[in-house]
Amino acid sequence: MRLALVGNPNVGKTTLFNALTKTHQQVANWPGTTVEVANGRFQWRGREITVTDLPGTYGLSAYAEDERVARNFLLSQQTDVVVIVVDASALERNLYLVLETMELFPASLVALTKVDLAQAAGSVIDTEKLAQRLHHPVVPVLPRQEKGLDALLNTACEIAEGKCLLQPVKLAYPQEVAEAVEALEPQLAAVVEENEAQWMALRLLSGDPDVLQRIEAIPSASRIVQTVASCCGASGMAFATQQSTALDPAVLLAPLAEQQAEYELAIADHKYEVAHHLAEACTQTRATLQRRSITEQLDAIFLHPIYGYLCLAMIFFAVFWISFEASAPLSDGLANGFTWLGQRTAEGLQGLDAPHWAQSLVIDGIFAGIGGVLSFVPYMALFFAAMTLLETTGYMARASLLADRFMQAIGLHGKSLFPLVSAFGCNVPALTATRTMENKRDRLVTNLVIPFIPCNARLGVMAVVSGAFFHGGKAGIVMLGLICISLAVVAGATLLYRKTVLRQEAAPLLLELSPYTLPGWRDIALPTGQRVLGFVSRIWKFLLFATIAVWALTYFPIGASPQDSFAGTLGGFLAGFGQWFGFDWRLMVAILFGFVAKETTLATLGVVYGMSAGPGLTQALTASMTPLVAFTFLVVYMLYVPCLSTVVQMRRETNSWKWTAVGIVFNIVVAFTVGFVIERIGLLLGFAM
């Protein structure tokens, strides 16, 4: 049996999914999108059940990508029963999606969550009356306590086996809408199922572009479009003249957009009215003590115009401090483990009289490169866990609300805050965090500017080089200055994108501030594990090949000095460009190879300078360049193309190689332009090259 979970955001849908599937889950993007759809499979009373957790949505109008994914899944007939998850504490708002879903998919039931919260607020839902009014089962569930799950599955099985006679919801729409649907439905019923015909008629009257595109393949498309035009008040003769040129429903009906908008408003208003009367009839209220809820008490602090921002700063600081500090021993242990494993493998190769290049490949190439990147997995796991915790408790919505005013000033969205701040830890999870943004262009702009923020690996290299050239408090001032340059570039790049290729005002921030909830361990552990495994499985192949390529360039020709290696030759070719910034071939090689993984930059510098990372490398750096060149190098290195993992993730999030290429080229241009300007300003101020 195949189940699909549909519901508004923050109704407990994912919690129910986790309670049903336990650890038997798999997360993947819906084809052609960056929207994640989770699938789980489990055994229940001898029956194998597959569950799909669709993205949270408020409706099936398909104006947002999440809505489109949920709707397309229902239309694709990939499920036997749809479970509509409804928050009992916000029944009226949730019932709109219930009505839309039941119109499209009759084989559905309602899983009523948060019944305890509704009762605490003084509301008692009469589930039997609600089921009678909807003509569909309503099952109360408490997923965290695993209560009501058997009743839910038993009801779903009865629906799948045809033991429950369910009918599509037929609402008594206003006369004008009802007459138009009555005229369209028979024509559509000849090519689609009856319930889908009713739904398609409503969407055609509303001017839904996806449904207009679907009917192009229907033989009777011209007659259907003419009926829609007639219902919208178009002249039959005028329409016939238009349709003789081309059969494009969207183009033919474009002049009728105003009438279609009126239909859509009338349909939505009627559904909201029905939802209101349903909720009113099925909810009993009782007097409660007039005291503020815990959510209200916390919001008085977290949303305070002064204390709210202090709490925001402290919470974000705590997230990163815990992520770095707690993960450090695990990261070091993982890196040391890879080093040890590489050495043991090399010893085995040595015992087999393997050539020197094979041993170098194992130690200096595969294990060093892959181990260096995977050593960040503990940090990412803790970071993902912290992000999931903030999301599930309800705090992230408050943080976005606080930041929206400042983000809008530079053309970003309030929900961009967390991805941008988290980028200081690692750009890869920061890109993933943009999925909470509904507007595609807001999400794209945020993805394009995130790489300008130095991640933990870049910050580490920057700290080492700054400490070598600027002693005492000067190093701290230099690091602060670099961060300020990064933030200024982010603001400037955002404004440039908004004024040129991505012209659009930032979308207004619409948020539902749901009550604070305390998640269970499974609500944190399962999504965290899915994200980490997904990251590792997606990038390890790219990193493996890229690491081997970098090793080969620095090792061959065999026996050659670093300067005479292929990498040295490449660096010599780039040195002509690097001299504009005071960079020799070694710095150009370090910048170029940092693309594979930023944490390998110090190792690359050690190879090309002939020194191991440590005091020897520090002395070599200070002897070969001035503080001005070092600072310019840090600026370019900070703003230059991020690591390969980030590029792979950017391609995944933008779903476009074109925009990924735009981001890479823009990063390179901005990095060297800003570096050149800073180097020239330094010379004008009298700092020596």
Side-chain angles (χ1 to χ4, degrees):
M1 181 175 64
R2 297 166 299 179
L3 304 179
L5 303 185
V6 178
N8 291 179
N10 305 311
V11 297
K13 180 168 55 64
T14 301
T15 304
L16 175 59
F17 174 77
N18 291 336
L20 290 171
T21 60
K22 302 298 187 292
T23 58
H24 308 289
Q25 304 171 7
Q26 183 180 6
V27 177
N29 281 7
W30 183 261
T33 74
T34 59
V35 178
E36 285 187 342
V37 176
N39 290 291
R41 184 173 297 175
F42 64 98
Q43 295 287 331
W44 182 78
R45 296 182 180 177
R47 181 191 292 264
E48 185 175 275
I49 299 178
T50 301
V51 185
T52 300
D53 182 16
L54 296 174
T57 177
Y58 291 103
L60 299 179
S61 57
Y63 291 121
E65 195 171 41
D66 290 351
E67 293 177 342
R68 186 173 290 108
V69 168
R71 190 174 82 176
N72 288 347
F73 187 91
L74 297 180
L75 288 171
S76 64
Q77 303 293 323
Q78 295 186 31
T79 186
D80 297 311
V81 180
V82 174
V83 178
I84 312 169
V85 185
V86 170
D87 180 356
S89 63
L91 181 62
E92 182 176 336
R93 173 173 51 76
N94 281 240
L95 283 174
Y96 182 86
L97 178 62
V98 171
L99 296 173
E100 281 213 313
T101 305
M102 289 181 174
E103 274 186 327
L104 177 60
F105 202 91
S108 55
L109 65 95
V110 171
L112 198 63
T113 63
K114 303 186 181 182
V115 177
D116 50 347
L117 294 180
Q119 291 177 346
S123 298
V124 178
I125 310 299
D126 189 335
T127 55
E128 291 186 6
K129 182 182 288 188
L130 181 59
Q132 291 173 0
R133 295 291 183 96
L134 291 173
H135 303 291
H136 284 73
V138 177
V139 182
V141 293
L142 292 174
R144 283 202 183 91
Q145 290 80 19
E146 299 190 356
K147 294 181 179 179
L149 300 185
D150 285 340
L152 177 70
L153 293 173
N154 188 61
T155 304
C157 288
E158 290 180 352
I159 294 175
E161 293 168 359
K163 296 179 180 178
C164 292
L165 298 178
L166 306 175
Q167 297 294 328
V169 168
K170 294 273 189 181
L171 300 181
Y173 287 105
Q175 182 178 356
E176 185 179 4
V177 176
E179 290 177 353
V181 171
E182 188 176 345
L184 280 168
E185 201 169 352
Q187 300 176 35
L188 294 167
V191 290
V192 297
E193 294 183 9
E194 182 181 352
N195 60 294
E196 191 174 339
Q198 174 196 258
W199 174 83
M200 285 185 69
L202 291 168
R203 296 311 305 160
L204 284 172
L205 292 172
S206 302
D208 190 311
D210 288 351
V211 177
L212 286 171
Q213 188 175 11
R214 286 187 65 192
I215 67 171
E216 287 184 16
I218 298 177
S220 57
S222 59
R223 188 158 52 92
I224 293 171
V225 173
Q226 189 163 4
T227 303
V228 174
S230 176
C231 293
C232 292
S235 167
M237 184 176 296
F239 177 75
T241 302
Q242 292 181 41
Q243 80 168 9
S244 64
T245 58
L247 182 58
D248 185 343
V251 173
L252 294 175
L253 297 176
L256 308 176
E258 186 175 343
Q259 293 89 335
Q260 289 176 324
E262 291 179 1
Y263 268 120
E264 184 170 29
L265 183 61
I267 293 168
D269 280 347
H270 183 69
K271 285 178 181 172
Y272 278 119
E273 184 179 353
V274 172
H276 170 73
H277 289 306
L278 269 175
E280 192 175 54
C282 301
T283 304
Q284 300 175 358
T285 58
R286 55 182 174 80
T288 57
L289 296 176
Q290 296 298 314
R291 64 179 184 182
R292 294 195 303 174
S293 66
I294 293 181
T295 292
E296 292 173 328
Q297 295 176 46
L298 291 175
D299 278 345
I301 301 173
F302 289 142
L303 295 180
H304 191 275
I306 297 176
Y307 304 138
Y309 291 101
L310 293 176
C311 291
L312 179 68
M314 289 189 294
I315 288 173
F316 277 6
F317 174 80
V319 167
F320 292 114
W321 185 85
I322 292 173
S323 297
F324 284 124
E325 291 299 318
S327 67
L330 296 173
S331 296
D332 293 342
L334 196 58
N336 293 335
F338 271 97
T339 301
W340 178 87
L341 184 59
Q343 291 172 346
R344 300 291 82 78
T345 306
E347 289 174 0
L349 292 173
Q350 188 176 10
L352 296 173
D353 293 327
H356 180 268
W357 66 264
Q359 300 176 42
S360 176
L361 171 63
V362 171
I363 298 178
D364 304 323
I366 298 174
F367 282 93
I370 301 299
V373 175
L374 293 184
S375 65
F376 278 85
V377 168
Y379 162 76
M380 294 182 64
L382 288 175
F383 171 78
F384 281 139
M387 185 171 71
T388 303
L389 177 64
L390 294 178
E391 290 173 347
T392 52
T393 55
Y395 180 75
M396 274 308 304
R398 275 81 178 174
S400 299
L401 185 64
L402 287 172
D404 186 59
R405 180 187 305 173
F406 302 101
M407 306 302 283
Q408 294 279 357
I410 61 172
L412 286 173
H413 195 272
K415 289 188 177 181
S416 301
L417 172 68
F418 195 76
L420 291 175
V421 174
S422 63
F424 284 102
C426 181
N427 286 179
V428 174
L431 291 168
T432 305
T434 61
R435 297 181 181 186
T436 61
M437 305 168 66
E438 294 84 3
N439 185 278
K440 186 176 181 179
R441 289 206 168 189
D442 288 337
R443 188 165 61 247
L444 179 57
V445 170
T446 307
N447 273 293
L448 291 173
V449 300
I450 278 176
F452 287 118
I453 296 179
C455 62
N456 174 56
R458 279 183 278 182
L459 288 171
V461 174
M462 290 158 59
V464 171
V465 177
S466 297
F469 286 89
F470 308 97
H471 304 290
K474 292 181 180 179
I477 296 174
V478 167
M479 287 293 292
L480 181 61
L482 290 169
I483 298 300
C484 290
I485 291 173
S486 167
L487 296 177
V489 169
V490 168
T494 301
L495 291 172
L496 182 61
Y497 277 124
R498 286 298 192 190
K499 298 295 183 182
T500 56
V501 292
L502 290 172
R503 285 179 173 271
Q504 178 180 309
E505 294 297 324
L509 182 64
L510 300 175
L511 283 174
E512 177 191 354
L513 299 182
S514 57
Y516 291 99
T517 57
L518 187 62
W521 70 269
R522 188 181 289 125
D523 301 325
I524 305 298
L526 293 181
T528 299
Q530 292 164 0
R531 289 176 174 178
V532 172
L533 289 175
F535 165 75
V536 173
S537 64
R538 285 192 299 269
I539 69 168
W540 76 270
K541 291 182 180 179
F542 293 94
L543 289 175
L544 178 61
F545 294 130
T547 300
I548 293 175
V550 170
W551 167 84
L553 289 172
T554 56
Y555 186 84
F556 293 102
I558 297 176
S561 64
Q563 187 169 0
D564 295 327
S565 67
F566 293 141
T569 303
L570 180 60
F573 175 76
L574 297 174
F577 176 72
Q579 68 182 1
W580 289 92
F581 314 91
F583 300 165
D584 62 11
W585 71 272
R586 294 170 293 192
L587 293 183
M588 293 303 296
V589 167
I591 291 173
L592 179 64
F593 287 3
F595 169 69
V596 178
K598 293 299 183 183
E599 56 271 17
T600 64
T601 300
L602 289 178
T604 302
L605 286 171
V607 171
V608 296
Y609 275 94
M611 300 284 182
S612 60
L617 177 59
T618 299
Q619 293 175 4
L621 291 174
T622 54
S624 64
M625 71 182 87
T626 66
L628 176 59
V629 173
F631 186 77
T632 305
F633 168 75
L634 290 176
V635 171
V636 174
Y637 174 75
M638 176 181 68
L639 300 176
Y640 182 69
V641 181
C643 64
L644 178 63
S645 307
T646 303
V647 172
V648 173
Q649 191 66 23
M650 183 185 293
R651 163 62 180 83
R652 176 178 168 82
E653 298 305 322
T654 61
N655 199 29
S656 166
W657 278 117
K658 182 189 76 172
W659 281 114
T660 303
V662 167
I664 293 173
V665 172
F666 190 56
N667 265 91
I668 295 173
V669 172
V670 169
F672 283 103
T673 300
V674 174
F676 180 78
V677 170
I678 286 177
E679 186 265 344
R680 294 297 147 175
I681 292 175
L683 290 178
L684 290 175
L685 294 177
F687 295 102
M689 286 287 289

